[in-house]
Amino acid sequence: CPQTMAAKWTSLGAAAAAGAAATIAIRAISRRSVASSSRLTIHVYDHCPFCVRIELLAGALGIEYDRVVYGYGEGADPTKCGGTGYGVGPVALTGKKMLPVITGAGVPKGGTLGESLEIASFLCTLAPGCAPATGRGDVADWLKKIAPISSKLTRPRLYKMPVKDWANEGDVAYARWKYSVKMGFDYAAAEAATPELVVEAASIISELAPLLKGGAPGEEATLNEWGFSIDDVLVLPVLRNLTAVKGLTYAPEVQAYLDDWCKATGVETYAKDAL
Ligand SMILES: N[C@@H](CCC(=O)N[C@@H](CS)C(=O)NCC(=O)O)C(=O)O
């Protein structure tokens, strides 16, 4: 379960050069939890980057929640998935086999909300501490650049991580069916290409360092000068899933960015189980 971390807004009186007093709201990090009348439940696959967005954000906002982790094959219809899949899983929530989903009293759409960015937007109404997405082109370009390398490195590894997603053998069977048979992903080729992919990924990860414009000494780094934002919510899960890759080195600033936010929000990395 995540610990709580929140951005506390404090006011500082700042003397302007002209002599007029200006009050600037600055963001200082403190730990607190958002007291909510009804506790949220966040339904996730541990390995799902869209789900990690929500856990990071809830943790950053200090929103306490219960966490339900599903087997990746749960809810997949065996007649449509080459005989893989079992049970009901997330389908019981929304009618779709798709996570993340949040549930709870006060949650829009009748108490059950899917789609990570809709969930994120809703969570931002519950507590301060996350700025909207900027649409920064350099961040979008970075995400686009890392995506194909990341999928080749992470797909052969994530299903080997010791998390509940893969507790049932039907979970692994479904994932392998989905990526190979349905999507044409070549596991063997991706694994064989690991040495080159690791070098390429490390180089792209190092390109993220100069994009980190925010974070005073002693605070978590952020993509924007004004603090934690949806931009970070989009980028951090990609870095977190890449921790499943053994031997992949991160530029120090990027390593600290990832580690500090994971620590602050209670999101675990895969570093100790990297393969
Ligand atoms: N647009 C959705 C995408 C969520 C998504 O793709 N989730 C994946 C897990 S990473 C999923 O539930 N896939 C179910 C499946 O393919 O069986 C969002 O942002 O929430």
Side-chain angles (χ1 to χ4, degrees), residues 45 47-51 53 72 76 97-100 114-117 119 174 178-179 182:
Y45 302 118
H47 79 283
C48 162
F50 304 96
C51 302
R53 288 177 179 177
Y72 197 52
K97 185 196 172 307
M98 183 75 74
L99 293 175
E115 279 302 318
S116 61
L117 292 181
I119 298 170
Y174 170 72
K178 174 181 157 179
Y179 291 116
K182 186 175 169 196

Side-chain angles (χ1 to χ4, degrees), residues 1-35:
C1 274
Q3 291 156 10
T4 56
M5 202 295 285
K8 186 176 83 180
W9 294 83
T10 58
S11 287
L12 281 189
T23 300
I24 308 169
I26 62 149
R27 188 170 166 280
I29 301 299
S30 74
R31 282 173 170 70
R32 70 175 166 86
S33 61
V34 172

Side-chain angles (χ1 to χ4, degrees), residues 8 23 75 91 109 114 118 122 135 207 244 251:
K8 186 176 83 180
T23 300
V91 180
K109 299 196 178 171
E118 290 189 33
F122 168 66
E207 292 171 18

